[in-house]
Amino acid sequence: KRRYDQSTHATQPKQYPVQSIMSTAEEERAKQDEKYGFRAPEENRRVWKPSPHQDTSFQGVSAMDFAIRQRRQEKERREKEAAAKASMYRYQGKANEDVESQVRKQQHDREKSAKAKERETLAQLKDVTITESVEGNVRKEQFGQEKKWKQEGRDTRDALKDVIVTESIEGNIRKEQFGQEQ
């Protein structure tokens, strides 16, 4: 019997240089890109659609028709799942954020910055003293005129409270006309 030297037959792992692995992965990616026409993974799936006659065809009650309907429902369910899975590839951002929450976050940040700016402006304006201006003087003058006009109206009403309205010529004419009409 022949003895084998264990050292010659022991399998040792092959040592691959790191660059050759990287170039192999890049080559594989390039092949895949060419194979799928340089499209994103979610666009490379085959979309199932029912044939046009299936929507309008008569669906009977036999076991075969039932099996066909079940098969179609199963295909529709699988297609729905595949579409959802493919749309996940397209997702940009964190898993717990969607587009609406990102938009809301941007709006919130905008509002926060606007409010902070407003607070800062108000804090800076506390030291400002307001002096007389042409516009302020004009408004003051107009207010005085309006106040004077209203007071004159009140005084006139108070003066006319004591006036007794007696018969007038116009009132007598109307009485005569009323009498003639009857």
Side-chain angles (χ1 to χ4, degrees):
K1 289 185 180 180
R2 217 167 161 189
R3 285 179 149 191
Y4 291 100
D5 187 14
Q6 289 181 353
S7 64
T8 59
H9 291 286
T11 58
Q12 295 180 4
K14 291 183 179 180
Q15 297 294 327
Y16 293 108
V18 176
Q19 267 195 328
S20 69
I21 294 173
M22 293 298 281
S23 63
T24 309
E26 289 172 0
E27 289 172 8
E28 183 62 30
R29 257 191 234 113
K31 287 179 189 175
Q32 292 293 324
D33 283 347
E34 289 173 19
K35 180 180 177 182
Y36 292 112
F38 300 98
R39 291 186 301 184
E42 65 269 14
E43 296 171 358
N44 282 323
R45 63 185 204 75
R46 183 167 179 250
V47 179
W48 175 82
K49 292 180 185 173
S51 40
H53 72 278
Q54 285 181 335
D55 289 332
T56 57
S57 64
F58 171 73
Q59 294 182 350
V61 291
S62 70
M64 183 64 160
D65 291 329
F66 178 77
I68 290 172
R69 274 197 308 274
Q70 292 295 317
R71 178 77 176 139
R72 180 173 179 204
Q73 288 174 352
E74 179 67 19
K75 284 183 178 180
E76 288 172 352
R77 184 188 61 77
R78 277 199 218 130
E79 175 58 31
K80 201 175 198 181
E81 289 174 0
K85 193 173 182 182
S87 69
M88 289 170 62
Y89 280 109
R90 206 176 311 121
Y91 187 75
Q92 302 291 325
K94 296 178 186 171
N96 61 352
E97 284 187 2
D98 57 351
V99 176
E100 289 179 19
S101 65
Q102 289 175 352
V103 169
R104 272 189 250 123
K105 186 176 180 183
Q106 289 173 352
Q107 290 172 344
H108 177 68
D109 291 342
R110 253 197 320 261
E111 288 176 12
K112 268 178 88 173
S113 64
K115 286 180 181 178
K117 187 176 181 183
E118 186 178 338
R119 279 194 297 272
E120 183 182 324
T121 307
L122 285 173
Q124 290 174 354
L125 291 177
K126 284 182 182 176
D127 301 330
V128 175
T129 56
I130 299 173
T131 58
E132 284 190 25
S133 65
V134 176
E135 187 179 346
N137 292 337
V138 169
R139 284 184 179 174
K140 189 185 282 185
E141 184 183 326
Q142 289 173 349
F143 179 70
Q145 289 173 353
E146 192 173 328
K147 210 171 177 186
K148 182 181 173 189
W149 178 76
K150 286 180 180 178
Q151 188 59 42
E152 284 176 4
R154 280 188 225 111
D155 293 342
T156 306
R157 253 182 286 138
D158 290 342
L160 292 176
K161 282 182 183 177
D162 299 332
V163 175
I164 299 172
V165 179
T166 56
E167 286 187 16
S168 64
I169 297 172
E170 188 178 332
N172 290 336
I173 293 172
R174 286 188 180 165
K175 281 183 188 175
E176 286 177 15
Q177 288 175 346
F178 182 72
Q180 288 173 2
E181 288 176 3
Q182 291 184 356

PDB file of all heavy atoms in Angstrom, residues 52-67:
ATOM      1  N   PRO A  52     -56.820  41.055 -23.475  1.00  0.00           N
ATOM      2  CA  PRO A  52     -58.036  41.853 -23.667  1.00  0.00           C
ATOM      3  C   PRO A  52     -59.329  41.041 -23.649  1.00  0.00           C
ATOM      4  O   PRO A  52     -60.353  41.525 -23.185  1.00  0.00           O
ATOM      5  CB  PRO A  52     -57.841  42.506 -25.034  1.00  0.00           C
ATOM      6  CG  PRO A  52     -56.444  42.235 -25.446  1.00  0.00           C
ATOM      7  CD  PRO A  52     -55.877  41.202 -24.556  1.00  0.00           C
ATOM      8  N   HIS A  53     -59.300  39.822 -24.121  1.00  0.00           N
ATOM      9  CA  HIS A  53     -60.549  39.049 -24.186  1.00  0.00           C
ATOM     10  C   HIS A  53     -60.976  38.537 -22.802  1.00  0.00           C
ATOM     11  O   HIS A  53     -62.122  38.169 -22.614  1.00  0.00           O
ATOM     12  CB  HIS A  53     -60.386  37.866 -25.152  1.00  0.00           C
ATOM     13  CG  HIS A  53     -59.498  36.780 -24.603  1.00  0.00           C
ATOM     14  ND1 HIS A  53     -58.129  36.859 -24.669  1.00  0.00           N
ATOM     15  CD2 HIS A  53     -59.795  35.622 -23.958  1.00  0.00           C
ATOM     16  CE1 HIS A  53     -57.614  35.777 -24.093  1.00  0.00           C
ATOM     17  NE2 HIS A  53     -58.595  35.013 -23.657  1.00  0.00           N
ATOM     18  N   GLN A  54     -60.089  38.551 -21.824  1.00  0.00           N
ATOM     19  CA  GLN A  54     -60.443  38.021 -20.508  1.00  0.00           C
ATOM     20  C   GLN A  54     -61.448  38.901 -19.778  1.00  0.00           C
ATOM     21  O   GLN A  54     -62.214  38.445 -18.953  1.00  0.00           O
ATOM     22  CB  GLN A  54     -59.187  37.859 -19.651  1.00  0.00           C
ATOM     23  CG  GLN A  54     -58.350  36.668 -20.050  1.00  0.00           C
ATOM     24  CD  GLN A  54     -57.123  36.523 -19.177  1.00  0.00           C
ATOM     25  OE1 GLN A  54     -56.652  37.495 -18.613  1.00  0.00           O
ATOM     26  NE2 GLN A  54     -56.627  35.308 -19.082  1.00  0.00           N
ATOM     27  N   ASP A  55     -61.409  40.177 -20.041  1.00  0.00           N
ATOM     28  CA  ASP A  55     -62.350  41.076 -19.368  1.00  0.00           C
ATOM     29  C   ASP A  55     -63.768  40.911 -19.895  1.00  0.00           C
ATOM     30  O   ASP A  55     -64.728  41.060 -19.164  1.00  0.00           O
ATOM     31  CB  ASP A  55     -61.908  42.532 -19.554  1.00  0.00           C
ATOM     32  CG  ASP A  55     -60.651  42.829 -18.752  1.00  0.00           C
ATOM     33  OD1 ASP A  55     -60.449  42.170 -17.723  1.00  0.00           O
ATOM     34  OD2 ASP A  55     -59.888  43.710 -19.166  1.00  0.00           O
ATOM     35  N   THR A  56     -63.894  40.621 -21.178  1.00  0.00           N
ATOM     36  CA  THR A  56     -65.219  40.582 -21.791  1.00  0.00           C
ATOM     37  C   THR A  56     -65.750  39.166 -21.986  1.00  0.00           C
ATOM     38  O   THR A  56     -66.917  38.992 -22.323  1.00  0.00           O
ATOM     39  CB  THR A  56     -65.172  41.277 -23.162  1.00  0.00           C
ATOM     40  OG1 THR A  56     -64.186  40.624 -23.963  1.00  0.00           O
ATOM     41  CG2 THR A  56     -64.825  42.746 -23.016  1.00  0.00           C
ATOM     42  N   SER A  57     -64.896  38.177 -21.783  1.00  0.00           N
ATOM     43  CA  SER A  57     -65.342  36.813 -22.069  1.00  0.00           C
ATOM     44  C   SER A  57     -66.319  36.326 -21.003  1.00  0.00           C
ATOM     45  O   SER A  57     -66.300  36.778 -19.862  1.00  0.00           O
ATOM     46  CB  SER A  57     -64.138  35.874 -22.135  1.00  0.00           C
ATOM     47  OG  SER A  57     -63.506  35.820 -20.876  1.00  0.00           O
ATOM     48  N   PHE A  58     -67.159  35.364 -21.408  1.00  0.00           N
ATOM     49  CA  PHE A  58     -68.142  34.786 -20.490  1.00  0.00           C
ATOM     50  C   PHE A  58     -67.432  33.919 -19.465  1.00  0.00           C
ATOM     51  O   PHE A  58     -66.580  33.103 -19.803  1.00  0.00           O
ATOM     52  CB  PHE A  58     -69.155  33.937 -21.279  1.00  0.00           C
ATOM     53  CG  PHE A  58     -70.060  33.155 -20.391  1.00  0.00           C
ATOM     54  CD1 PHE A  58     -71.060  33.789 -19.670  1.00  0.00           C
ATOM     55  CD2 PHE A  58     -69.908  31.789 -20.247  1.00  0.00           C
ATOM     56  CE1 PHE A  58     -71.894  33.074 -18.841  1.00  0.00           C
ATOM     57  CE2 PHE A  58     -70.737  31.071 -19.419  1.00  0.00           C
ATOM     58  CZ  PHE A  58     -71.741  31.707 -18.705  1.00  0.00           C
ATOM     59  N   GLN A  59     -67.781  34.135 -18.206  1.00  0.00           N
ATOM     60  CA  GLN A  59     -67.199  33.322 -17.149  1.00  0.00           C
ATOM     61  C   GLN A  59     -68.285  32.398 -16.622  1.00  0.00           C
ATOM     62  O   GLN A  59     -69.223  32.846 -15.977  1.00  0.00           O
ATOM     63  CB  GLN A  59     -66.658  34.209 -16.035  1.00  0.00           C
ATOM     64  CG  GLN A  59     -65.491  35.050 -16.506  1.00  0.00           C
ATOM     65  CD  GLN A  59     -64.919  35.907 -15.396  1.00  0.00           C
ATOM     66  OE1 GLN A  59     -65.502  36.017 -14.344  1.00  0.00           O
ATOM     67  NE2 GLN A  59     -63.782  36.501 -15.654  1.00  0.00           N
ATOM     68  N   GLY A  60     -68.136  31.166 -16.921  1.00  0.00           N
ATOM     69  CA  GLY A  60     -69.157  30.183 -16.549  1.00  0.00           C
ATOM     70  C   GLY A  60     -69.034  29.745 -15.097  1.00  0.00           C
ATOM     71  O   GLY A  60     -68.332  30.342 -14.294  1.00  0.00           O
ATOM     72  N   VAL A  61     -69.728  28.637 -14.790  1.00  0.00           N
ATOM     73  CA  VAL A  61     -69.771  28.141 -13.427  1.00  0.00           C
ATOM     74  C   VAL A  61     -69.094  26.783 -13.287  1.00  0.00           C
ATOM     75  O   VAL A  61     -69.150  26.177 -12.223  1.00  0.00           O
ATOM     76  CB  VAL A  61     -71.232  28.041 -12.934  1.00  0.00           C
ATOM     77  CG1 VAL A  61     -71.823  29.418 -12.774  1.00  0.00           C
ATOM     78  CG2 VAL A  61     -72.072  27.208 -13.881  1.00  0.00           C
ATOM     79  N   SER A  62     -68.473  26.326 -14.334  1.00  0.00           N
ATOM     80  CA  SER A  62     -67.838  25.006 -14.261  1.00  0.00           C
ATOM     81  C   SER A  62     -66.570  25.075 -13.409  1.00  0.00           C
ATOM     82  O   SER A  62     -66.068  26.153 -13.089  1.00  0.00           O
ATOM     83  CB  SER A  62     -67.481  24.516 -15.669  1.00  0.00           C
ATOM     84  OG  SER A  62     -66.424  25.288 -16.190  1.00  0.00           O
ATOM     85  N   ALA A  63     -66.062  23.921 -13.046  1.00  0.00           N
ATOM     86  CA  ALA A  63     -64.856  23.844 -12.237  1.00  0.00           C
ATOM     87  C   ALA A  63     -63.676  24.452 -12.978  1.00  0.00           C
ATOM     88  O   ALA A  63     -62.814  25.102 -12.377  1.00  0.00           O
ATOM     89  CB  ALA A  63     -64.573  22.389 -11.868  1.00  0.00           C
ATOM     90  N   MET A  64     -63.626  24.285 -14.290  1.00  0.00           N
ATOM     91  CA  MET A  64     -62.539  24.840 -15.086  1.00  0.00           C
ATOM     92  C   MET A  64     -62.565  26.371 -15.072  1.00  0.00           C
ATOM     93  O   MET A  64     -61.537  27.018 -14.904  1.00  0.00           O
ATOM     94  CB  MET A  64     -62.647  24.325 -16.524  1.00  0.00           C
ATOM     95  CG  MET A  64     -61.537  24.768 -17.402  1.00  0.00           C
ATOM     96  SD  MET A  64     -60.002  24.095 -16.814  1.00  0.00           S
ATOM     97  CE  MET A  64     -59.025  24.233 -18.260  1.00  0.00           C
ATOM     98  N   ASP A  65     -63.790  26.937 -15.218  1.00  0.00           N
ATOM     99  CA  ASP A  65     -63.921  28.397 -15.178  1.00  0.00           C
ATOM    100  C   ASP A  65     -63.520  28.937 -13.803  1.00  0.00           C
ATOM    101  O   ASP A  65     -62.878  29.977 -13.699  1.00  0.00           O
ATOM    102  CB  ASP A  65     -65.353  28.816 -15.491  1.00  0.00           C
ATOM    103  CG  ASP A  65     -65.720  28.548 -16.949  1.00  0.00           C
ATOM    104  OD1 ASP A  65     -64.807  28.612 -17.786  1.00  0.00           O
ATOM    105  OD2 ASP A  65     -66.900  28.286 -17.225  1.00  0.00           O
ATOM    106  N   PHE A  66     -63.921  28.220 -12.769  1.00  0.00           N
ATOM    107  CA  PHE A  66     -63.552  28.627 -11.413  1.00  0.00           C
ATOM    108  C   PHE A  66     -62.033  28.620 -11.250  1.00  0.00           C
ATOM    109  O   PHE A  66     -61.438  29.557 -10.708  1.00  0.00           O
ATOM    110  CB  PHE A  66     -64.202  27.691 -10.389  1.00  0.00           C
ATOM    111  CG  PHE A  66     -63.840  28.018  -8.983  1.00  0.00           C
ATOM    112  CD1 PHE A  66     -64.426  29.094  -8.339  1.00  0.00           C
ATOM    113  CD2 PHE A  66     -62.908  27.264  -8.290  1.00  0.00           C
ATOM    114  CE1 PHE A  66     -64.093  29.414  -7.033  1.00  0.00           C
ATOM    115  CE2 PHE A  66     -62.564  27.571  -6.990  1.00  0.00           C
ATOM    116  CZ  PHE A  66     -63.162  28.648  -6.355  1.00  0.00           C
ATOM    117  N   ALA A  67     -61.378  27.589 -11.738  1.00  0.00           N
ATOM    118  CA  ALA A  67     -59.919  27.481 -11.640  1.00  0.00           C
ATOM    119  C   ALA A  67     -59.240  28.613 -12.416  1.00  0.00           C
ATOM    120  O   ALA A  67     -58.249  29.183 -11.958  1.00  0.00           O
ATOM    121  CB  ALA A  67     -59.457  26.125 -12.158  1.00  0.00           C
TER     122      ALA A  67
END
